[in-house]
Amino acid sequence: MPDTPAPPPVILGDEPGSFPHGVLAERHPAIIRQVRDAFPYDPAVHRALDALLESCTKGVIEPLPADAHDTGRWRDWGLDGYLGRSWFDVPWLWSESYFYRRLLEAVGYFGPGVWQGIDPFRPFKLAELDAPETDEELAALDALETRPAAERARALLHGSLWGNRADLGFRLSDSEAATRDAVPALVADDSETLWALLPPVLPPADKASTLCLIADNAGRELIPDLLLAAHLLATGRAGRVVLHVKPYPYYISDATPADVVDALRRLTSAPGAAAEHGRRLWAAMADGTLTVRAHPFSAAPLPFTELPPDLRAEFAGAALTLVKGDLNYRRLVGDRRWPPTTPFADVTAYFPGPVAALRTLKSDVITGLSARTESGLVAAEEQRWRTGGTHALVQVRP
């Protein structure tokens, strides 16, 4: 038997002109400026934000305060090995995650103080929920109610998939992303395999079958995720949905428990079918058929190969774990520049149960493409197809 090729190295942010370098050098400073202007922070917070800006662009990785509640956790996640090194010279996934942890420290999120528990990204999330585009998308649900069940299922799946374009952090570094046309054809589409794992009517013995949905962004992306969950529950494709969100504000627009409540309130206050979906989801949370989980590992700077035992057991027992978004895809397959034709099933073989990825492409990491698809994308767009947000995929490993 030939030896299995060694995986490519993890992605760093040290190459000028690369996408990861641009995130560290441009997106993170832009986020600091945006957060600074979003609240009437006091001088101490402004000084802390200035220090973070200097550190993440020109300085080195520094420790958390001695009294930080999660210092031990971050040491377990590799902090000691990266102290004193440039933000650009450590794994990009780790560097990004630690930036957001330090940003929360700078604005006093973990307290004590007046800013304790206040989400620095909340104004941007609420503005998106209140946008006219959200009204238009919710109004479209009325017409969808009259369509055949298979068509509704497909539309809601694709709504959740393309809702991933509603990513605030992505738009900060790509101002044209919100208006650029999406490419209708998916670069990979395992939708039929996904539906086969979630049969329309569960046998009585399987009524407790669980779908785990690892959410990505809040706002206009979380709403279609919730609508997909509502459909799966209503049609019996899932007996229970566990929605995994971040335990604290993360990656500017990632969903937290508070964002789930905001999205449900947005649904229930809308006219027409949207409100009915919202009321069903509200009731589902009350009776436990929709559960929200905010595990600390959801905000860890690590790939899913490092899943803790309790999450491994949970995903092993699920009928399917649905992984949403670009960051979660990077964690699922490993934040490495794989050859695009590397089989998705091979790099996710470690995952403890059936797993599916719904993702629009906004970073370099990609697996599971056919050689023909890759060559066509490169011929048309060189390497821009990887990060432009105009291509998407549905990949499943049963």
Side-chain angles (χ1 to χ4, degrees):
M1 291 289 291
D3 292 335
T4 302
V10 296
I11 294 175
L12 308 180
D14 60 347
E15 182 184 345
S18 68
F19 186 75
H21 188 278
V23 168
L24 298 177
E26 299 170 15
R27 182 187 295 185
H28 288 179
I31 289 171
I32 291 173
R33 290 190 290 269
Q34 191 174 26
V35 166
R36 178 198 298 274
D37 294 339
F39 288 93
Y41 286 124
D42 54 65
V45 172
H46 281 268
R47 288 192 295 270
L49 290 171
D50 289 340
L52 178 60
L53 179 61
E54 179 73 13
S55 170
C56 69
T57 55
K58 301 176 184 177
V60 298
I61 293 168
E62 300 172 358
L64 291 170
D67 59 351
H69 73 283
D70 53 353
T71 294
R73 183 179 297 148
W74 276 93
R75 294 184 73 177
D76 291 341
W77 291 344
L79 176 60
D80 289 348
Y82 299 137
L83 291 175
R85 297 173 63 180
S86 167
W87 293 78
F88 296 85
D89 294 337
V90 305
W92 180 41
L93 176 64
W94 198 96
S95 185
E96 280 193 289
S97 296
Y98 195 59
F99 166 79
Y100 287 98
R101 175 59 184 86
R102 292 309 304 259
L103 181 62
L104 293 183
E105 193 69 39
V107 300
Y109 179 84
F110 294 111
V114 296
W115 299 109
Q116 184 178 34
I118 295 180
D119 183 347
F121 312 128
R122 184 170 169 78
F124 322 132
K125 296 172 178 178
L126 292 180
E128 188 171 87
L129 278 179
D130 293 338
E133 292 85 355
T134 304
D135 292 326
E136 295 168 8
E137 290 162 1
L138 294 180
L141 290 171
D142 294 339
L144 188 62
E145 291 296 295
T146 65
R147 307 306 300 170
E151 185 176 333
R152 291 202 309 275
R154 185 169 59 252
L156 290 168
L157 179 68
H158 280 250
S160 178
L161 170 62
W162 287 109
N164 185 229
R165 298 179 78 207
D167 178 329
L168 298 170
F170 175 65
R171 291 208 299 268
L172 275 175
S173 59
D174 187 354
S175 59
E176 298 179 357
T179 57
R180 189 184 300 119
D181 289 338
V183 176
L186 305 185
V187 300
D189 186 4
D190 296 336
S191 299
E192 293 306 314
T193 305
L194 186 154
W195 292 124
L197 291 168
L198 300 171
V201 179
L202 295 170
D206 292 335
K207 279 297 182 183
S209 291
T210 295
L211 171 78
C212 291
L213 199 167
I214 302 178
D216 190 35
N217 296 305
R220 285 174 57 211
E221 179 177 354
L222 184 58
I223 282 180
D225 290 347
L226 289 169
L227 293 172
L228 177 61
H231 174 78
L232 296 175
L233 290 169
T235 57
R237 288 184 180 270
R240 178 170 172 258
V241 173
V242 181
L243 182 67
H244 286 258
V245 297
K246 302 301 187 295
Y248 49 74
Y250 190 66
Y251 275 70
I252 196 167
S253 56
D254 280 27
T256 67
D259 298 319
V260 176
V261 175
D262 286 338
L264 289 177
R265 285 177 173 156
R266 182 69 172 85
L267 281 171
T268 56
S269 65
E276 183 58 31
H277 287 300
R279 286 190 288 269
R280 288 199 204 104
L281 287 164
W282 197 282
M285 286 193 67
D287 68 22
T289 51
L290 173 62
T291 302
V292 177
R293 189 120 140 80
H295 194 286
F297 188 80
S298 294
L302 302 174
F304 289 163
T305 51
E306 305 296 323
L307 285 169
D310 59 336
L311 283 181
R312 288 191 63 84
E314 182 172 335
F315 296 149
L320 179 66
T321 296
L322 189 58
V323 176
K324 276 296 307 293
D326 202 78
L327 171 63
N328 287 325
Y329 187 86
R330 290 163 55 196
R331 298 185 72 190
L332 176 65
V333 305
D335 202 27
R336 303 170 184 270
R337 192 158 180 140
W338 298 98
T341 56
T342 304
F344 177 76
D346 287 359
V347 296
T348 58
Y350 72 89
F351 201 82
V355 63
L358 296 187
R359 175 219 181 186
T360 53
L361 277 56
K362 295 180 288 187
S363 67
D364 291 311
V365 178
I366 184 71
T367 67
L369 299 191
S370 69
R372 180 178 179 180
T373 297
E374 183 198 2
S375 62
L377 289 166
V378 172
E381 304 177 39
E382 297 180 340
Q383 296 299 325
R384 294 187 300 275
W385 61 272
R386 292 175 179 261
T387 59
T390 56
H391 298 281
L393 58 79
V394 179
Q395 292 177 323
V396 181
R397 195 225 69 208

